[in-house]
Amino acid sequence: MLIKGKKRAAILLVAVMLSLMFLNVATAASDERQSSEEAVTKEQFLEMVVRALELPLDDGELKFSTIMKVAKDNGLYKGDYVEPLNSPITRGEMALTLERATHKQGYANTIAALKNEQLNIEKLKPYYLPQYAKDITYLKSLDIPIVNLADFSQPKQLLEQLNEWYNRKVLEEYAPANEKLGLEYCSPEAEDWYIKQHNCVNKNNLEMYPAYSRYWNFVSQLKLTEERITNNTDRIFAKMSSTPKQMVFETMKRGLLSGSQQGELLLQSTSTRAQAEAAIARMLSYNKGNQLPVNPYTITTAEIYWHNTNLFSMLPQWFNQGFKLSGRGWVTPQEDWDYGYGKPLERARDSYKGYLDQLIVVDYNDPKDPNRKLLPDLSRNVIFQDKAFNPKIQAYVLIPKTRATTTQNWKYMDVQVHGNFVQEGAKDNTFNRPVVPFYYRKSIPCTAAEKCVSRSDVKSTGVIFIPKNIQFNKEELTSYLNVTITVPGISGYKYVTRTLFESRFLNPSYAIKR
Protein backbone atom coordinates (compact mmCIF):
# COMPACT_ATOMS: atom_id res chain seq x y z
CA MET A 1 0.00 0.00 0.00
CA LEU A 2 1.32 3.41 -0.95
CA ILE A 3 1.70 6.03 1.72
CA LYS A 4 -0.09 9.13 0.62
CA GLY A 5 0.80 12.83 0.76
CA LYS A 6 1.16 14.42 4.23
CA LYS A 7 1.58 11.10 6.07
CA ARG A 8 4.53 10.15 3.92
CA ALA A 9 6.16 13.54 4.39
CA ALA A 10 5.75 13.30 8.18
CA ILE A 11 7.44 9.90 8.29
CA LEU A 12 10.35 11.23 6.23
CA LEU A 13 10.67 14.24 8.57
CA VAL A 14 10.84 11.97 11.66
CA ALA A 15 13.50 9.83 10.00
CA VAL A 16 15.59 12.87 9.19
CA MET A 17 15.25 14.20 12.77
CA LEU A 18 16.28 10.85 14.27
CA SER A 19 19.31 10.71 11.97
CA LEU A 20 20.32 14.22 13.00
CA MET A 21 19.84 13.40 16.69
CA PHE A 22 22.07 10.33 16.51
CA LEU A 23 24.63 12.34 14.53
CA ASN A 24 24.65 15.08 17.20
CA VAL A 25 25.08 12.54 20.01
CA ALA A 26 27.98 10.88 18.22
CA THR A 27 29.54 14.28 17.44
CA ALA A 28 29.16 15.42 21.06
CA ALA A 29 30.83 12.23 22.34
CA SER A 30 33.64 12.68 19.84
CA ASP A 31 34.04 16.34 20.82
CA GLU A 32 34.09 15.39 24.50
CA ARG A 33 36.82 12.80 23.89
CA GLN A 34 38.77 15.31 21.83
CA SER A 35 38.31 17.99 24.51
CA SER A 36 39.54 15.69 27.28
CA GLU A 37 42.67 14.92 25.27
CA GLU A 38 43.47 18.52 24.44
CA ALA A 39 46.28 20.30 26.26
CA VAL A 40 45.10 22.64 29.02
CA THR A 41 46.39 26.20 28.97
CA LYS A 42 47.68 28.04 31.99
CA GLU A 43 44.64 30.31 32.02
CA GLN A 44 42.28 27.35 31.88
CA PHE A 45 44.01 25.42 34.66
CA LEU A 46 44.10 28.41 37.00
CA GLU A 47 40.39 29.01 36.39
CA MET A 48 39.65 25.31 37.00
CA VAL A 49 41.43 25.47 40.37
CA VAL A 50 39.73 28.73 41.40
CA ARG A 51 36.30 27.30 40.58
CA ALA A 52 37.06 23.92 42.21
CA LEU A 53 37.98 25.71 45.45
CA GLU A 54 34.73 27.70 45.16
CA LEU A 55 36.49 31.01 45.65
CA PRO A 56 34.11 34.00 45.40
CA LEU A 57 33.71 35.38 41.88
CA ASP A 58 31.58 38.28 40.59
CA ASP A 59 28.36 37.26 38.86
CA GLY A 60 28.94 39.58 35.91
CA GLU A 61 30.88 38.87 32.73
CA LEU A 62 33.93 36.92 33.85
CA LYS A 63 37.28 37.88 32.39
CA PHE A 64 40.58 36.13 33.04
CA SER A 65 41.86 39.25 34.77
CA THR A 66 39.18 38.60 37.41
CA ILE A 67 40.30 34.98 37.80
CA MET A 68 43.92 36.11 38.14
CA LYS A 69 43.06 38.70 40.80
CA VAL A 70 41.11 36.15 42.85
CA ALA A 71 43.98 33.64 42.52
CA LYS A 72 46.55 36.21 43.67
CA ASP A 73 44.36 37.44 46.54
CA ASN A 74 44.02 33.87 47.82
CA GLY A 75 47.70 32.97 47.46
CA LEU A 76 47.19 30.59 44.52
CA TYR A 77 49.41 32.43 42.08
CA LYS A 78 52.68 34.29 42.57
CA GLY A 79 54.05 34.68 39.06
CA ASP A 80 54.50 30.90 38.74
CA TYR A 81 53.81 30.53 34.98
CA VAL A 82 55.99 31.34 32.00
CA GLU A 83 54.28 33.71 29.56
CA PRO A 84 52.15 33.57 27.48
CA LEU A 85 49.36 32.40 29.74
CA ASN A 86 47.29 31.05 26.86
CA SER A 87 49.96 28.41 26.13
CA PRO A 88 49.78 24.82 27.45
CA ILE A 89 50.64 24.44 31.11
CA THR A 90 53.52 22.17 32.12
CA ARG A 91 53.37 19.68 34.97
CA GLY A 92 56.03 21.72 36.76
CA GLU A 93 53.77 24.79 36.65
CA MET A 94 50.77 22.72 37.72
CA ALA A 95 52.76 21.49 40.71
CA LEU A 96 53.25 25.04 42.00
CA THR A 97 49.53 25.85 41.83
CA LEU A 98 48.57 22.53 43.42
CA GLU A 99 51.00 23.11 46.29
CA ARG A 100 49.62 26.58 46.94
CA ALA A 101 46.07 25.22 46.80
CA THR A 102 46.89 22.59 49.46
CA HIS A 103 49.45 24.60 51.45
CA LYS A 104 47.28 25.02 54.56
CA GLN A 105 46.31 21.34 54.64
CA GLY A 106 49.93 20.36 54.05
CA TYR A 107 50.97 22.50 57.01
CA ALA A 108 48.29 20.95 59.23
CA ASN A 109 49.28 17.42 58.16
CA THR A 110 52.97 18.12 58.84
CA ILE A 111 52.24 19.47 62.33
CA ALA A 112 50.00 16.48 63.09
CA ALA A 113 52.59 13.95 61.86
CA LEU A 114 55.41 15.54 63.87
CA LYS A 115 53.30 15.68 67.02
CA ASN A 116 52.23 12.08 66.55
CA GLU A 117 55.87 11.01 66.31
CA GLN A 118 57.53 13.30 68.83
CA LEU A 119 54.68 13.87 71.29
CA ASN A 120 53.32 10.34 71.33
CA ILE A 121 52.63 9.89 75.03
CA GLU A 122 52.58 6.11 74.90
CA LYS A 123 56.08 6.16 73.40
CA LEU A 124 57.29 8.76 75.90
CA LYS A 125 55.87 7.23 79.08
CA PRO A 126 58.81 4.83 79.56
CA TYR A 127 61.17 7.82 79.68
CA TYR A 128 59.17 9.60 82.38
CA LEU A 129 60.82 7.26 84.89
CA PRO A 130 59.07 4.35 86.62
CA GLN A 131 57.00 6.67 88.83
CA TYR A 132 54.66 7.78 86.02
CA ALA A 133 51.55 5.85 87.08
CA LYS A 134 52.24 6.41 90.78
CA ASP A 135 52.72 10.16 90.30
CA ILE A 136 49.50 10.51 88.30
CA THR A 137 47.55 8.69 91.02
CA TYR A 138 49.10 10.81 93.77
CA LEU A 139 48.53 14.13 91.97
CA LYS A 140 44.89 13.21 91.38
CA SER A 141 44.47 13.00 95.16
CA LEU A 142 45.41 16.69 95.47
CA ASP A 143 43.06 19.55 94.73
CA ILE A 144 44.53 20.33 91.29
CA PRO A 145 41.63 21.74 89.18
CA ILE A 146 42.55 19.77 86.06
CA VAL A 147 39.99 17.30 84.75
CA ASN A 148 42.41 14.80 83.25
CA LEU A 149 46.07 14.85 84.31
CA ALA A 150 46.82 12.13 81.74
CA ASP A 151 45.66 14.31 78.82
CA PHE A 152 48.79 15.87 77.31
CA SER A 153 47.24 17.03 74.03
CA GLN A 154 47.70 20.71 74.99
CA PRO A 155 50.90 20.90 77.03
CA LYS A 156 51.07 24.70 76.99
CA GLN A 157 47.63 25.12 78.57
CA LEU A 158 48.31 22.24 80.97
CA LEU A 159 51.54 23.88 82.15
CA GLU A 160 49.78 27.21 82.66
CA GLN A 161 47.15 25.51 84.82
CA LEU A 162 49.82 23.73 86.85
CA ASN A 163 51.76 26.95 87.45
CA GLU A 164 48.61 28.82 88.45
CA TRP A 165 47.59 26.09 90.90
CA TYR A 166 51.07 25.77 92.43
CA ASN A 167 51.57 29.53 92.85
CA ARG A 168 48.18 29.83 94.53
CA LYS A 169 49.06 26.88 96.78
CA VAL A 170 52.26 28.65 97.89
CA LEU A 171 50.52 31.97 98.53
CA GLU A 172 47.45 30.58 100.26
CA GLU A 173 48.80 27.54 102.15
CA TYR A 174 52.54 26.88 102.29
CA ALA A 175 53.85 30.41 102.94
CA PRO A 176 51.11 31.32 105.51
CA ALA A 177 51.69 28.01 107.37
CA ASN A 178 55.40 28.82 107.74
CA GLU A 179 54.59 32.37 108.76
CA LYS A 180 52.43 31.10 111.64
CA LEU A 181 55.46 29.14 112.86
CA GLY A 182 57.65 32.23 112.61
CA LEU A 183 59.57 30.82 109.64
CA GLU A 184 60.28 32.32 106.28
CA TYR A 185 59.18 30.34 103.21
CA CYS A 186 61.46 28.98 100.49
CA SER A 187 60.95 26.56 97.63
CA PRO A 188 62.13 22.95 97.85
CA GLU A 189 64.36 23.87 94.90
CA ALA A 190 66.42 26.26 97.07
CA GLU A 191 70.05 25.43 97.83
CA ASP A 192 70.48 22.71 100.46
CA TRP A 193 72.64 24.91 102.69
CA TYR A 194 70.02 27.64 102.68
CA ILE A 195 67.20 25.23 103.52
CA LYS A 196 69.19 23.76 106.44
CA GLN A 197 70.19 27.15 107.77
CA HIS A 198 66.69 28.67 107.67
CA ASN A 199 64.43 25.60 107.95
CA CYS A 200 62.21 27.30 105.39
CA VAL A 201 60.61 24.48 103.36
CA ASN A 202 57.01 23.74 104.25
CA LYS A 203 56.52 20.06 105.14
CA ASN A 204 53.40 19.61 103.00
CA ASN A 205 55.16 21.35 100.13
CA LEU A 206 58.17 19.05 100.53
CA GLU A 207 55.98 15.94 100.54
CA MET A 208 54.19 16.70 97.27
CA TYR A 209 57.09 18.31 95.42
CA PRO A 210 58.96 15.23 94.02
CA ALA A 211 55.86 13.94 92.19
CA TYR A 212 54.81 17.43 91.15
CA SER A 213 58.26 18.37 89.81
CA ARG A 214 58.62 15.15 87.79
CA TYR A 215 55.19 15.70 86.27
CA TRP A 216 55.91 19.40 85.66
CA ASN A 217 59.23 18.61 83.93
CA PHE A 218 57.50 16.05 81.73
CA VAL A 219 54.83 18.55 80.64
CA SER A 220 57.45 21.28 80.23
CA GLN A 221 59.46 19.18 77.78
CA LEU A 222 56.30 18.41 75.84
CA LYS A 223 55.58 22.13 75.64
CA LEU A 224 59.10 22.93 74.41
CA THR A 225 58.90 20.20 71.79
CA GLU A 226 55.50 21.45 70.63
CA GLU A 227 56.89 24.97 70.30
CA ARG A 228 59.88 23.74 68.29
CA ILE A 229 57.60 21.74 66.02
CA THR A 230 55.40 24.78 65.40
CA ASN A 231 58.22 27.30 65.02
CA ASN A 232 60.29 25.12 62.68
CA THR A 233 57.27 24.16 60.57
CA ASP A 234 56.23 27.82 60.33
CA ARG A 235 59.72 28.73 59.12
CA ILE A 236 59.94 25.87 56.61
CA PHE A 237 56.49 26.50 55.11
CA ALA A 238 57.08 30.26 54.90
CA LYS A 239 60.31 29.64 52.99
CA MET A 240 58.66 27.00 50.81
CA SER A 241 56.40 29.56 49.11
CA SER A 242 59.45 31.10 47.45
CA THR A 243 61.28 27.81 46.79
CA PRO A 244 59.71 26.25 43.65
CA LYS A 245 61.78 23.06 43.78
CA GLN A 246 60.65 22.34 47.33
CA MET A 247 57.04 23.02 46.25
CA VAL A 248 57.43 20.39 43.53
CA PHE A 249 58.72 17.92 46.14
CA GLU A 250 55.76 18.64 48.42
CA THR A 251 53.31 18.18 45.55
CA MET A 252 54.72 14.73 44.82
CA LYS A 253 54.92 13.87 48.53
CA ARG A 254 51.24 14.74 48.99
CA GLY A 255 50.23 12.55 46.05
CA LEU A 256 48.83 15.41 43.94
CA LEU A 257 51.06 14.43 41.00
CA SER A 258 52.74 11.07 40.59
CA GLY A 259 55.28 11.13 37.76
CA SER A 260 56.14 7.97 35.89
CA GLN A 261 56.35 4.48 37.40
CA GLN A 262 60.14 4.73 37.16
CA GLY A 263 60.13 7.93 39.24
CA GLU A 264 60.57 10.48 36.44
CA LEU A 265 59.01 13.85 37.32
CA LEU A 266 58.14 14.82 33.71
CA LEU A 267 57.98 18.48 34.75
CA GLN A 268 58.24 19.83 31.21
CA SER A 269 55.41 17.65 29.89
CA THR A 270 52.07 19.31 29.21
CA SER A 271 48.79 18.13 30.67
CA THR A 272 45.50 17.16 29.03
CA ARG A 273 42.17 18.34 30.40
CA ALA A 274 41.47 14.84 31.75
CA GLN A 275 44.81 14.80 33.59
CA ALA A 276 44.20 18.30 34.95
CA GLU A 277 40.76 17.30 36.20
CA ALA A 278 42.23 14.21 37.89
CA ALA A 279 44.89 16.34 39.62
CA ILE A 280 42.24 18.79 40.84
CA ALA A 281 40.13 15.90 42.16
CA ARG A 282 43.16 14.72 44.16
CA MET A 283 43.67 18.30 45.39
CA LEU A 284 40.11 18.45 46.73
CA SER A 285 40.42 15.01 48.33
CA TYR A 286 43.68 16.01 50.02
CA ASN A 287 42.14 19.20 51.38
CA LYS A 288 39.44 17.08 53.02
CA GLY A 289 42.15 15.32 55.03
CA ASN A 290 42.39 12.18 52.92
CA GLN A 291 45.73 10.44 52.45
CA LEU A 292 46.53 9.93 48.77
CA PRO A 293 48.55 7.10 47.22
CA VAL A 294 52.10 8.11 46.32
CA ASN A 295 54.91 6.77 44.15
CA PRO A 296 57.99 6.39 46.41
CA TYR A 297 60.32 6.55 43.41
CA THR A 298 58.82 9.89 42.37
CA ILE A 299 59.27 11.24 45.90
CA THR A 300 62.95 10.31 46.08
CA THR A 301 63.55 11.83 42.62
CA ALA A 302 61.71 15.00 43.63
CA GLU A 303 63.81 15.31 46.77
CA ILE A 304 67.03 15.14 44.73
CA TYR A 305 65.55 17.76 42.39
CA TRP A 306 64.85 19.94 45.45
CA HIS A 307 68.12 19.83 47.42
CA ASN A 308 70.52 17.32 45.86
CA THR A 309 69.88 14.45 48.23
CA ASN A 310 67.19 11.86 48.89
CA LEU A 311 68.52 11.16 52.37
CA PHE A 312 65.28 12.08 54.12
CA SER A 313 62.86 10.16 51.91
CA MET A 314 65.09 7.07 51.78
CA LEU A 315 66.27 6.97 55.41
CA PRO A 316 63.52 8.67 57.46
CA GLN A 317 64.12 6.28 60.36
CA TRP A 318 67.53 7.88 60.92
CA PHE A 319 67.35 11.39 59.53
CA ASN A 320 63.82 12.75 59.81
CA GLN A 321 63.36 13.21 63.54
CA GLY A 322 64.12 15.64 66.29
CA PHE A 323 65.95 18.96 66.41
CA LYS A 324 69.50 20.18 66.69
CA LEU A 325 70.71 23.32 68.44
CA SER A 326 73.06 25.15 66.09
CA GLY A 327 74.37 28.67 65.70
CA ARG A 328 71.15 29.32 63.81
CA GLY A 329 68.93 28.13 66.65
CA TRP A 330 66.94 24.89 66.72
CA VAL A 331 66.95 23.35 63.25
CA THR A 332 65.52 20.24 61.62
CA PRO A 333 67.71 17.63 59.91
CA GLN A 334 66.63 18.91 56.48
CA GLU A 335 67.62 22.48 57.38
CA ASP A 336 70.98 21.26 58.65
CA TRP A 337 71.65 19.56 55.31
CA ASP A 338 70.47 22.55 53.27
CA TYR A 339 72.81 24.80 55.21
CA GLY A 340 75.87 22.55 54.91
CA TYR A 341 75.91 20.88 51.50
CA GLY A 342 77.60 22.65 48.62
CA LYS A 343 79.69 24.80 50.95
CA PRO A 344 83.45 24.40 50.46
CA LEU A 345 85.91 22.83 52.84
CA GLU A 346 88.90 25.09 52.36
CA ARG A 347 92.63 24.88 52.91
CA ALA A 348 93.51 28.55 52.86
CA ARG A 349 97.27 28.41 52.23
CA ASP A 350 96.89 26.95 48.75
CA SER A 351 93.28 27.98 47.91
CA TYR A 352 92.24 24.34 47.76
CA LYS A 353 88.48 23.78 48.16
CA GLY A 354 86.54 20.54 48.34
CA TYR A 355 82.78 20.34 47.77
CA LEU A 356 80.08 17.77 48.30
CA ASP A 357 77.41 18.65 45.73
CA GLN A 358 75.16 15.60 45.99
CA LEU A 359 74.59 12.66 48.28
CA ILE A 360 72.35 10.00 46.76
CA VAL A 361 70.99 7.01 48.68
CA VAL A 362 70.31 3.78 46.79
CA ASP A 363 68.53 0.76 48.19
CA TYR A 364 71.05 -1.90 47.18
CA ASN A 365 68.40 -4.63 47.47
CA ASP A 366 65.74 -2.91 45.32
CA PRO A 367 66.27 -3.78 41.64
CA LYS A 368 63.78 -1.04 40.64
CA ASP A 369 65.50 1.77 42.54
CA PRO A 370 65.70 4.61 39.96
CA ASN A 371 69.19 5.59 41.13
CA ARG A 372 70.63 2.11 40.86
CA LYS A 373 72.32 3.15 37.61
CA LEU A 374 74.68 5.30 39.70
CA LEU A 375 76.23 2.26 41.40
CA PRO A 376 79.75 1.46 40.21
CA ASP A 377 80.73 -1.97 38.97
CA LEU A 378 80.81 -4.13 42.09
CA SER A 379 81.73 -7.34 40.31
CA ARG A 380 85.46 -6.72 40.72
CA ASN A 381 87.57 -7.32 43.80
CA VAL A 382 85.78 -4.94 46.17
CA ILE A 383 86.87 -4.78 49.79
CA PHE A 384 84.34 -3.99 52.52
CA GLN A 385 85.72 -3.28 55.99
CA ASP A 386 88.82 -5.40 55.26
CA LYS A 387 86.65 -8.33 54.20
CA ALA A 388 85.61 -9.66 50.81
CA PHE A 389 82.44 -7.91 49.67
CA ASN A 390 79.27 -9.98 49.99
CA PRO A 391 76.91 -9.13 47.09
CA LYS A 392 73.96 -10.42 49.16
CA ILE A 393 74.48 -7.76 51.80
CA GLN A 394 71.33 -5.98 53.03
CA ALA A 395 72.31 -2.34 52.83
CA TYR A 396 71.76 1.18 51.65
CA VAL A 397 74.46 2.82 49.56
CA LEU A 398 75.57 6.44 49.86
CA ILE A 399 76.88 7.80 46.56
CA PRO A 400 78.58 11.19 46.95
CA LYS A 401 79.20 13.59 44.09
CA THR A 402 82.22 15.77 44.89
CA ARG A 403 84.45 18.28 43.20
CA ALA A 404 87.53 20.33 44.00
CA THR A 405 88.89 23.69 42.96
CA THR A 406 92.21 25.47 43.44
CA THR A 407 94.17 28.34 41.96
CA GLN A 408 97.34 26.22 42.07
CA ASN A 409 98.48 23.79 39.39
CA TRP A 410 98.52 20.66 41.53
CA LYS A 411 99.13 17.42 39.72
CA TYR A 412 96.19 15.66 41.37
CA MET A 413 93.03 16.77 43.15
CA ASP A 414 91.04 14.62 45.51
CA VAL A 415 88.04 14.95 47.85
CA GLN A 416 86.89 12.11 50.06
CA VAL A 417 83.56 11.57 51.79
CA HIS A 418 83.36 9.14 54.70
CA GLY A 419 80.41 7.60 56.48
CA ASN A 420 80.91 6.87 60.16
CA PHE A 421 78.70 4.87 62.45
CA VAL A 422 79.59 6.08 65.93
CA GLN A 423 78.77 3.78 68.83
CA GLU A 424 80.14 5.27 72.01
CA GLY A 425 82.17 2.80 74.04
CA ALA A 426 82.90 0.50 71.11
CA LYS A 427 86.47 -0.03 69.91
CA ASP A 428 86.01 -0.25 66.15
CA ASN A 429 82.71 1.25 65.14
CA THR A 430 83.19 2.93 61.78
CA PHE A 431 82.61 2.00 58.19
CA ASN A 432 84.53 5.01 56.93
CA ARG A 433 86.92 3.01 54.76
CA PRO A 434 85.92 3.53 51.15
CA VAL A 435 83.95 0.47 50.10
CA VAL A 436 85.04 0.79 46.50
CA PRO A 437 88.82 0.48 46.01
CA PHE A 438 91.05 3.34 45.01
CA TYR A 439 90.62 2.75 41.28
CA TYR A 440 87.06 4.01 41.71
CA ARG A 441 88.37 7.10 43.45
CA LYS A 442 90.91 8.17 40.89
CA SER A 443 92.02 11.79 40.84
CA ILE A 444 92.07 13.67 37.57
CA PRO A 445 95.38 15.26 36.46
CA CYS A 446 95.27 18.99 35.79
CA THR A 447 97.02 20.87 33.02
CA ALA A 448 98.78 24.19 33.38
CA ALA A 449 96.12 25.85 31.26
CA GLU A 450 93.25 24.59 33.41
CA LYS A 451 94.92 25.28 36.75
CA CYS A 452 92.43 22.84 38.27
CA VAL A 453 89.74 25.49 38.62
CA SER A 454 86.22 24.14 39.11
CA ARG A 455 86.94 20.60 37.89
CA SER A 456 83.49 19.05 37.95
CA ASP A 457 84.78 15.80 36.45
CA VAL A 458 86.84 14.80 39.49
CA LYS A 459 85.67 11.36 40.62
CA SER A 460 87.02 11.57 44.10
CA THR A 461 85.30 9.11 46.38
CA GLY A 462 83.93 5.62 46.55
CA VAL A 463 80.45 4.61 47.61
CA ILE A 464 79.59 3.95 51.25
CA PHE A 465 77.48 1.01 52.35
CA ILE A 466 75.21 1.36 55.40
CA PRO A 467 74.07 -2.07 56.62
CA LYS A 468 70.33 -2.14 57.21
CA ASN A 469 70.74 -3.95 60.52
CA ILE A 470 72.43 -0.96 62.18
CA GLN A 471 70.50 -0.03 65.31
CA PHE A 472 70.61 3.57 66.49
CA ASN A 473 70.00 4.41 70.12
CA LYS A 474 68.08 7.59 69.34
CA GLU A 475 67.03 8.20 72.93
CA GLU A 476 70.49 8.21 74.50
CA LEU A 477 72.25 9.75 71.47
CA THR A 478 75.14 7.34 71.98
CA SER A 479 74.97 6.05 68.42
CA TYR A 480 74.54 8.00 65.22
CA LEU A 481 75.65 8.24 61.62
CA ASN A 482 77.75 11.14 60.42
CA VAL A 483 79.09 12.11 57.03
CA THR A 484 82.44 13.89 56.81
CA ILE A 485 84.22 15.56 53.91
CA THR A 486 88.02 15.58 53.64
CA VAL A 487 90.47 17.36 51.36
CA PRO A 488 93.89 15.72 51.21
CA GLY A 489 97.31 16.88 52.25
CA ILE A 490 99.51 17.99 49.38
CA SER A 491 103.17 18.96 49.66
CA GLY A 492 103.26 17.84 53.27
CA TYR A 493 100.05 19.57 54.37
CA LYS A 494 97.72 17.71 56.68
CA TYR A 495 94.28 16.51 55.70
CA VAL A 496 91.43 18.89 56.55
CA THR A 497 88.20 17.25 57.67
CA ARG A 498 84.80 18.60 58.63
CA THR A 499 81.65 16.80 59.74
CA LEU A 500 79.12 17.73 57.09
CA PHE A 501 76.05 16.09 58.51
CA GLU A 502 74.99 13.68 61.23
CA SER A 503 71.87 11.92 62.41
CA ARG A 504 72.28 12.99 66.04
CA PHE A 505 69.21 15.14 66.66
CA LEU A 506 67.50 15.67 69.99
CA ASN A 507 64.46 13.48 70.61
CA PRO A 508 61.91 14.43 73.29
CA SER A 509 62.48 11.13 75.07
CA TYR A 510 66.15 12.02 75.61
CA ALA A 511 65.30 15.46 76.99
CA ILE A 512 62.62 14.04 79.28
CA LYS A 513 64.86 11.33 80.66
CA ARG A 514 67.59 13.85 81.34
Side-chain angles (χ1 to χ4, degrees), residues 206-220:
L206 186 62
E207 179 184 345
M208 59 79 66
Y209 198 75
Y212 174 81
S213 63
R214 284 192 295 266
Y215 181 82
W216 188 93
N217 286 332
F218 184 72
V219 177
S220 179

Side-chain angles (χ1 to χ4, degrees), residues 427-499:
K427 292 182 179 179
D428 185 8
N429 47 43
T430 66
F431 47 89
N432 62 347
R433 303 175 187 83
V435 174
V436 181
F438 185 76
Y439 49 76
Y440 285 123
R441 300 191 304 107
K442 65 178 181 178
S443 299
I444 307 298
C446 306
T447 66
E450 291 172 333
K451 289 195 174 180
C452 294
V453 176
S454 195
R455 293 296 305 277
S456 60
D457 58 347
V458 176
K459 302 178 191 291
S460 55
T461 188
V463 298
I464 304 163
F465 278 71
I466 307 177
K468 291 182 177 179
N469 60 0
I470 284 180
Q471 297 296 320
F472 287 94
N473 186 340
K474 291 181 289 187
E475 284 71 37
E476 293 290 350
L477 304 186
T478 55
S479 59
Y480 53 93
L481 174 72
N482 69 21
V483 177
T484 61
I485 180 171
T486 300
V487 297
I490 299 179
S491 301
Y493 299 154
K494 294 182 179 179
Y495 277 71
V496 182
T497 299
R498 181 183 73 208
T499 295

Side-chain angles (χ1 to χ4, degrees), residues 108-123:
N109 288 357
T110 300
I111 290 285
L114 288 170
K115 285 185 176 181
N116 182 60
E117 174 61 34
Q118 299 182 32
L119 293 176
N120 188 311
I121 302 304
E122 293 305 315
K123 290 183 180 180

Side-chain angles (χ1 to χ4, degrees), residues 400-428:
K401 180 180 179 181
T402 63
R403 60 189 169 93
T405 65
T406 183
T407 57
Q408 304 295 323
N409 185 27
W410 299 118
K411 185 177 181 181
Y412 290 101
M413 301 176 66
D414 188 32
V415 181
Q416 296 181 19
V417 175
H418 301 284
N420 304 277
F421 174 59
V422 180
Q423 179 71 52
E424 293 181 5
K427 292 182 179 179
D428 185 8

Side-chain angles (χ1 to χ4, degrees), residues 77-179:
Y77 184 81
K78 296 183 179 180
D80 301 320
Y81 301 161
V82 176
E83 302 280 356
L85 298 183
N86 61 356
S87 61
I89 192 169
T90 66
R91 283 169 50 86
E93 292 168 325
M94 282 177 59
L96 303 184
T97 302
L98 292 171
E99 193 288 318
R100 297 195 193 283
T102 56
H103 190 80
K104 291 183 179 179
Q105 187 63 44
Y107 173 87
N109 288 357
T110 300
I111 290 285
L114 288 170
K115 285 185 176 181
N116 182 60
E117 174 61 34
Q118 299 182 32
L119 293 176
N120 188 311
I121 302 304
E122 293 305 315
K123 290 183 180 180
L124 296 176
K125 277 181 184 178
Y127 304 104
Y128 180 98
L129 295 179
Q131 298 96 326
Y132 173 83
K134 185 178 179 181
D135 284 353
I136 293 290
T137 301
Y138 174 74
L139 293 172
K140 285 180 179 179
S141 68
L142 304 177
D143 58 343
I144 302 178
I146 297 175
V147 177
N148 186 2
L149 288 168
D151 181 5
F152 301 98
S153 59
Q154 296 181 309
K156 180 180 178 181
Q157 291 83 341
L158 181 56
L159 198 64
E160 289 173 352
Q161 290 176 302
L162 283 173
N163 290 335
E164 182 181 351
W165 172 81
Y166 184 77
N167 291 335
R168 188 173 65 250
K169 197 80 170 173
V170 170
L171 291 173
E172 297 178 359
E173 180 180 334
Y174 302 146
N178 274 23
E179 187 178 354

Side-chain angles (χ1 to χ4, degrees), residues 148-374:
N148 186 2
L149 288 168
D151 181 5
F152 301 98
S153 59
Q154 296 181 309
K156 180 180 178 181
Q157 291 83 341
L158 181 56
L159 198 64
E160 289 173 352
Q161 290 176 302
L162 283 173
N163 290 335
E164 182 181 351
W165 172 81
Y166 184 77
N167 291 335
R168 188 173 65 250
K169 197 80 170 173
V170 170
L171 291 173
E172 297 178 359
E173 180 180 334
Y174 302 146
N178 274 23
E179 187 178 354
K180 288 181 180 180
L181 298 174
L183 302 172
E184 69 169 288
Y185 170 80
C186 64
S187 168
E189 290 185 337
E191 296 287 343
D192 289 343
W193 67 267
Y194 190 89
I195 293 174
K196 291 178 181 179
Q197 183 175 336
H198 297 275
N199 190 26
C200 53
V201 175
N202 179 271
K203 291 183 179 180
N204 291 336
N205 192 180
L206 186 62
E207 179 184 345
M208 59 79 66
Y209 198 75
Y212 174 81
S213 63
R214 284 192 295 266
Y215 181 82
W216 188 93
N217 286 332
F218 184 72
V219 177
S220 179
Q221 288 298 332
L222 296 180
K223 172 180 173 290
L224 289 174
T225 299
E226 183 181 57
E227 289 175 350
R228 290 169 190 155
I229 287 173
T230 302
N231 293 339
N232 286 358
T233 305
D234 287 348
R235 185 174 62 251
I236 290 169
F237 269 70
K239 181 181 177 182
M240 184 191 304
S241 296
S242 58
T243 312
K245 289 186 176 183
Q246 185 177 1
M247 294 170 68
V248 169
F249 168 72
E250 282 290 329
T251 302
M252 303 296 175
K253 182 181 175 183
R254 295 171 195 171
L256 304 172
L257 293 176
S258 60
S260 71
Q261 290 184 346
Q262 295 75 32
E264 299 170 300
L265 302 182
L266 308 175
L267 297 180
Q268 297 306 314
S269 299
T270 57
S271 175
T272 65
R273 176 171 292 275
Q275 291 170 335
E277 290 173 349
I280 290 173
R282 289 193 290 271
M283 172 195 79
L284 295 175
S285 179
Y286 183 84
N287 279 345
K288 291 179 181 178
N290 296 321
Q291 187 174 354
L292 304 178
V294 297
N295 180 347
Y297 298 145
T298 301
I299 293 175
T300 189
T301 303
E303 191 188 356
I304 296 170
Y305 172 75
W306 164 29
H307 58 183
N308 286 301
T309 190
N310 57 351
L311 201 64
F312 306 100
S313 54
M314 289 294 291
L315 302 176
Q317 69 274 32
W318 295 335
F319 289 104
N320 257 8
Q321 302 176 22
F323 307 99
K324 177 182 179 181
L325 185 59
S326 69
R328 295 163 285 119
W330 289 96
V331 298
T332 64
Q334 291 92 331
E335 290 177 303
D336 199 45
W337 164 263
D338 290 343
Y339 180 79
Y341 90 91
K343 287 184 169 57
L345 177 61
E346 301 184 50
R347 196 173 56 209
R349 68 179 70 187
D350 54 9
S351 301
Y352 192 106
K353 298 179 182 180
Y355 299 82
L356 174 64
D357 290 330
Q358 274 192 342
L359 187 62
I360 309 300
V361 182
V362 177
D363 186 340
Y364 180 71
N365 310 108
D366 182 1
K368 295 182 180 179
D369 190 306
N371 295 302
R372 195 173 183 84
K373 59 183 178 291
L374 301 177

